[in-house]
Amino acid sequence: RIFVLGIGFFTLCFLMTSLGGQFSAKRLGDSPFTIRTEVMGALESRGVLRRMSDMLEMLMKRMDILARLENSTDFHKADEARFPLDRFQPAAGLMERIQAIAQNVSDIAIKVDQILRNSLLNGKVVEGRRDQCEVPRDPKYPDCAGKVEWMRARWTSDPCYAFFGVDGTECSFLIYLSEVEWFCPPLPWRNRTAALPSPPSLPRVQAAFQSDLARLLELIGTGKESLSFMKKRIRHLAQQWLRAARRLEQKLKGRQRDQKHILIHIGFLTEESGDVFSPRVLKGGPLGEMVQWADILAALFLLGHSLRVTVSLKELQSHLGVPPGRGNCPLTNPLPFDLIYTDYHGLQQMKQHMGLSFKKYRCRVRVIDTFGTEPAYNHEEYATLRGYRTNWGYWNLQPAQFMTMFPHTPDNSFMGFVSEELNKTERQFIKSNKVSSMAVVYGKEASIWKGKEKFLAILNKYMEIHGTVYYETQRPPEVPAFVKNHGLLPQHEFQQLLRKAKLFIGFGFPYEGPAPLEAIANGCVFLQARFNPPHSSLNHEFFRGKPTSREVSSQHPYAEDFIGKPHVWTVDYNNSEEFEAAIKTIVRTQVDPYLPYEYTCEGMLERIHAYIQHQDFCTTSSPPLPPKAKSPAMQSPPSPLALSPNATHLVWSPSASRDPHAWPPVDSLQVWVSETRHACTETCRRRGLVCEPTFFRFLNKKEVFLQLSITCDSTEYEMNHLYPAVAENVHECYLQKEPLLFSCAGYNTKYRRLCPCRDYRKGQVALCRDCL
């Protein structure tokens, strides 16, 4: 009897599990397009219920036979002598439970049968509608017919369409194109399924400065040498970051700041992009990008924003809410992040997997871009027509969404990184322990030393030369025997080497890395080569394919232009006499450690705070349009610009209104006219100013030419990254037709450009004096 009861109980559990699987596998409401599937699932479930009811009835009959046998044979009495009666009392309770379950199953079967009847009736109605849908002709949705045609031919090309309920019928195409995408009008009979209005959004949480960097280290995660390097750097600079955060907090005086939800996706560290950096961290590979990312993470966290960090494509898809498939469909839910910081690899991954949602949300993206992306390469149509070929451009973003390591061009936002600051004791120690005859060569790869024997021989006459070239088994032959090579050094030991050395010398590569700033901050003089002609994408392999026409006049233009002598010497290495004379002078020159404010922790915090508070690329002003014919009675609004007192340039008129939310503030604007061979970047710099591309919209008017006494026999609107400009020889004036092409970069000997310039904070070129 116990055996039979056990078998019966096991059968009951198995049947209940099977029934549960039937229901859980086909939940109603998973998708608005699953009616046919649900009906079939319910039919199968009804069969299971019937079989279960039959088996329970059979089980009850067999147990009843057992009970009669117990009362009518001596077998039971003999067993009862061996087993106490209470051992069988649970069986009676089990019988009662099985009876109750059988009754419940019977009731459920009746209810399912009723539901099935209703579902089948409704299904017939819906199926009728699904088969009778016609493509609507609505001028507000001109692409609807074309998209339906595409869906007919290609709806099986990506599983994501089936995920959203597309099943090959005309109505499923229209439902998808109207409710998931937005190319077709909503179907009238679907109004009843429209979602209820979303509840009002909750008040924003205020950002508060953070002090526990241990939480950030947990967020970054583990498993890659690159991540270990970044965490080590954050720990090393922790005290400087915390002091800087306290100073900025005092400076802001309790100003209200909304906390942003930020996703940081470091695309170049994902396996899908190859992650060539992690294996090279311990072999002297390029660390500049990882230095910058570590500092970005620290700054965003200390400013009090909510962060998510990913270095894998799977995590990215999960955080974004990417539907299963090949990336052709929009996200399943609204994007939960206010901002996304990524790089070019991550940008490509997002575009591939977000479908139409990428276009919708790309205004929230910030691209960490080492060398910068100029507007001429960013605008896809213009770049294609004008031959601005690149491996990285064509994104049609606002140029300021690209964030650079150095302030190459004001068209992009200067993100930067930080160098270690020294206290008074450390500065004094460095000054007293400098070895005036010691030089360190900038370059961890042996290839950088190749062909530099002549310079090294001259340098060796005056200074002891040290290198940090990586090698595994034997010393690289490119490094001369008189060079003391330390091999690859940890960051801390490399800093100690710089603190002893008098000279840090570069041989032309790598371009624009963080090491020269670290050397200058540790009291070294940086000596670098002048490039003649300047290197660019037109004449140098390294820059070919990069989205910039920038001409690089030296190995480190920022050090040359923004720091200069006595800390930075830029000489012609092809002139041995000039090179040797510079070495002699440097040996005799005393310099103090120097670090530009914008490369301190406080400077970077200040800059990122200002960007987060003021940069909004999701609400843009309408593009300028060619003027229409006006009647004599119509008057143009007065220009907000006025001639400066010395009549050399234009300024914001004191009588003109100001938008209190405009950033940068308009009263920092000055309008200058460039020379024919000068870009606006250089034009503004020569006047102690910075070009500000957001101000181009105030210059892009014919009246501005008149105010500057420029004669315009004709005025044309065209797409050109050099406009607004004037061709003086023929008195032709040109205005910009495409706002994405407003650019501080670029020049042509034919044009003099109108350039919007602004002032800037001392040591903080990214911000105007009143921009914080």
Side-chain angles (χ1 to χ4, degrees), residues 82 186 196 243 286 289 384 402 453 459 558 572 578 593 624 647:
R82 283 183 289 169
L196 295 173
R243 286 194 296 269
E289 286 88 348
T384 304
F402 298 100
E453 296 83 1
L459 180 61
Y558 176 85
D572 182 2
E578 183 182 355

Side-chain angles (χ1 to χ4, degrees), residues 395-416:
W395 287 98
N396 294 319
L397 300 178
Q398 294 291 330
Q401 288 178 254
F402 298 100
M403 302 189 133
T404 58
M405 185 172 280
F406 292 96
H408 306 303
T409 168
D411 295 325
N412 304 146
S413 299
F414 164 44
M415 171 60 75

Side-chain angles (χ1 to χ4, degrees), residues 533-541 543-544:
H535 293 178
S536 71
S537 58
L538 301 178
N539 63 10
H540 200 276
E541 187 61 34
F543 290 100
R544 193 161 289 123

